[in-house]
Amino acid sequence: MQTGHVSTPFGRRSMTLALVKGQLSVAESKTDKCVDKWKVFRDISEARERLALQDRALAVLDALLTFYPDNELDRERGPIVFPSNAQLSLRAHGIAGTTLRRHLAALVDAGLIQRRDSPNGKRYAHRDRDGEIEQAYGFDLTPLVVRAAELAQLAQDVVAERIRFRRIKEALTICRRDVRKLITAAFEEGASGNWEAVEDAYVGILDRLPRYPSRQQVEATLDEMELLREEVLNQLEIQIKAEKTDGNAIQNGCHIQNSKPESIYELEPSSRNEQGEKLEAVAETRAEGQVSGQRTTQHIKAFPLGMVLRACPQISDYGPGGRVGHWRELMSAAVVVRSMLGVSPSAYEEACGVMGPENAAAAMACILERSNMISSAGGYLRDLTKRSERGEFSLGPMLMALLKANGAGGKLAG
């Protein structure tokens, strides 16, 4: 049977270069193995959205496959089926003729079947004296054999994406519930702080999420919601620790008091109570004996590297080989940026000592992102270091503002 040539459609159906390319690709393929037609069909069903196919198109393909007698499609035997439209319609659960033709065209355009039209456009086969098919005109299923591996991989990708999407939505649901109940508890138990601002931030995050979001939009929302949850927890944790000190000075410096709802996302918090901090109150003595009253430091917890890179994409250009894949590369890039922006080694060393090396590197990435708005990068870093030392600064609001400025907010707006 001759199947290795380009076949043009009968009648007024047009021929396109895409169809020529698809037929030549199938003809030149060296694949000669047999494939289970129903396994290929299941893979196509999983990946139907990627292939731009509707449910009715799958019903038509299913009907076509039933006209091939064996379960395995064998390219050597020339897997061409030639049912009439009436037979196809019957096996496709009574689909209308115009709908049938439209979905057959969709299957052809998707590269899953090819037309082998006869001189008069009818579908039939010539048989030899032994009843074997010598020449058939109808729909060639060879593309299913050639593309079987590709379709299987595509189906696996779709399933993996679906699982990932479901896990992200589950994580967002849990995180959303946590934030909602923590805010409610803070209101009901009279916790100090401007919880109206936190409430507004929570509502604002959800308002930016479309009704039918993509995975990327849900991921961006989850990043923001996780950041808000950590900041709410820190507010409550710091208050609990402050209460244990029997009303010392710390108690008056660790709560949100700014009356502006948007203060939780300010880029440069100006008081201890606008920070939305990521602080862990770990007291460190700087001399032996742990003498009471000695100076203590508070270390900022490191944010996820992926979040830092999304908020500050420019820093990747200064990493080894023009990329940043882990924290060590980010810290290496920060040293390059420090020198480029004129930040003294002593200022950066002090920042590392107060914030920790990871967050000092993240702070340099933020400064690089806003370098056109900062007149003295060195002075700015020293100011952030002093604020961190006093418990008045967190990277959270800064990263949040940069995430929104660099497109996270735009994605959510959908």
Side-chain angles (χ1 to χ4, degrees):
M1 189 181 302
Q2 296 179 357
T3 59
H5 62 278
V6 172
S7 176
T8 58
F10 171 79
R12 290 181 292 180
R13 287 193 298 267
S14 61
M15 187 67 178
T16 65
L17 294 181
L19 292 177
V20 174
K21 180 180 178 181
Q23 291 190 34
L24 290 176
S25 176
V26 170
E28 293 170 359
S29 173
K30 303 301 181 183
T31 301
D32 56 0
K33 64 179 180 180
C34 300
V35 298
D36 186 329
K37 65 181 182 182
W38 298 121
K39 181 181 183 305
V40 177
F41 179 75
R42 287 193 296 271
D43 291 338
I44 294 171
S45 299
E46 288 284 3
R48 69 179 182 83
E49 291 184 1
R50 298 267 186 101
L51 296 168
L53 296 177
Q54 298 178 6
D55 293 342
R56 288 291 186 89
L58 294 180
V60 173
L61 179 60
D62 176 76
L64 282 174
L65 290 175
T66 62
F67 286 98
Y68 188 75
D70 301 325
N71 278 337
E72 299 224 330
L73 295 173
D74 186 354
R75 183 175 183 178
E76 293 300 317
R77 293 182 55 187
I80 296 179
V81 293
F82 39 91
S84 66
N85 280 357
Q87 292 173 314
L88 259 181
S89 177
L90 184 62
R91 293 200 187 183
H93 312 292
I95 191 171
T98 54
T99 305
L100 175 66
R101 288 190 290 272
R102 184 171 71 253
H103 289 300
L104 283 171
L107 291 171
V108 172
D109 292 340
L112 300 178
I113 62 175
Q114 292 178 351
R115 295 183 187 275
R116 300 295 180 192
D117 285 350
S118 67
N120 62 4
K122 301 294 183 180
R123 301 175 199 137
Y124 56 86
H126 294 298
R127 300 177 183 272
D128 59 18
R129 292 183 178 180
D130 297 325
E132 296 292 327
I133 296 176
E134 291 184 324
Q135 181 72 48
Y137 298 103
F139 296 107
D140 190 351
L141 305 178
T142 301
L144 299 180
V145 181
V146 173
R147 300 183 61 189
E150 174 197 344
L151 294 169
Q153 184 60 53
L154 190 60
Q156 290 176 19
D157 293 344
V158 169
V159 171
E161 175 73 8
R162 186 183 301 128
I163 292 173
R164 183 180 178 187
F165 196 8
R166 184 169 64 247
R167 300 277 169 81
I168 291 171
K169 288 194 290 186
E170 289 173 354
L172 177 58
T173 298
I174 293 172
C175 188
R176 177 179 175 177
R177 179 186 67 201
D178 291 346
V179 175
R180 176 67 275 167
K181 292 197 173 185
L182 287 170
I183 295 174
T184 301
F187 273 118
E188 291 178 349
E189 299 185 22
S192 300
N194 187 0
W195 294 104
E196 289 83 0
V198 181
E199 172 83 12
D200 288 345
Y202 169 79
V203 173
I205 291 172
L206 295 180
D207 283 346
R208 291 192 294 274
L209 187 67
R211 185 174 182 181
Y212 300 105
S214 65
R215 178 180 58 80
Q216 291 78 9
Q217 290 171 322
V218 175
E219 280 183 336
T221 301
L222 178 60
D223 283 344
E224 288 192 85
M225 194 64 72
E226 285 180 337
L227 184 57
L228 183 61
R229 178 177 61 184
E230 291 302 314
E231 292 178 353
V232 169
L233 285 172
N234 270 296
Q235 297 299 322
L236 297 175
E237 180 183 357
I238 291 172
Q239 180 170 320
I240 291 171
K241 289 181 179 180
E243 290 173 355
K244 291 180 181 179
T245 63
D246 297 324
N248 62 19
I250 297 177
Q251 186 172 6
N252 298 322
C254 298
H255 308 294
I256 299 176
Q257 294 175 352
N258 190 341
S259 61
K260 297 180 180 180
E262 65 272 21
S263 63
I264 197 167
Y265 288 126
E266 284 184 355
L267 193 60
E268 300 175 48
S270 58
S271 74
R272 299 184 183 187
N273 304 315
E274 297 172 342
Q275 58 189 322
E277 61 272 3
K278 293 284 292 179
L279 300 175
E280 179 183 1
V282 179
E284 292 186 350
T285 59
R286 295 207 175 178
E288 294 182 357
Q290 299 183 352
V291 179
S292 177
Q294 286 183 308
R295 184 186 182 190
T296 61
T297 61
Q298 289 178 305
H299 294 284
I300 306 173
K301 296 177 184 177
F303 285 85
L305 178 61
M307 182 184 295
V308 174
L309 295 178
R310 284 197 299 274
C312 311
Q314 294 184 47
I315 193 70
S316 297
D317 296 336
Y318 299 91
R323 63 179 298 276
V324 170
H326 48 76
W327 279 109
R328 185 177 299 277
E329 291 180 346
L330 179 66
M331 289 186 277
S332 175
V335 172
V336 176
V337 171
R338 173 201 66 74
S339 177
M340 182 186 72
L341 295 180
V343 177
S344 67
S346 61
Y348 187 63
E349 183 179 353
E350 185 179 359
C352 290
V354 173
M355 301 181 187
E358 293 88 352
N359 285 299
M364 283 305 309
C366 292
I367 292 172
L368 172 65
E369 207 68 26
R370 301 183 64 237
S371 57
N372 61 330
M373 303 169 61
I374 299 173
S375 57
S376 172
Y380 189 78
L381 181 62
R382 285 189 185 276
D383 181 62
L384 295 185
T385 302
K386 290 178 182 178
R387 291 175 182 271
S388 296
E389 200 168 27
R390 296 194 302 265
E392 297 175 359
F393 170 73
S394 167
L395 279 171
M398 180 179 282
L399 289 172
M400 184 69 71
L402 289 172
L403 274 170
K404 295 167 76 174
N406 287 331
K411 287 181 181 178
L412 291 174

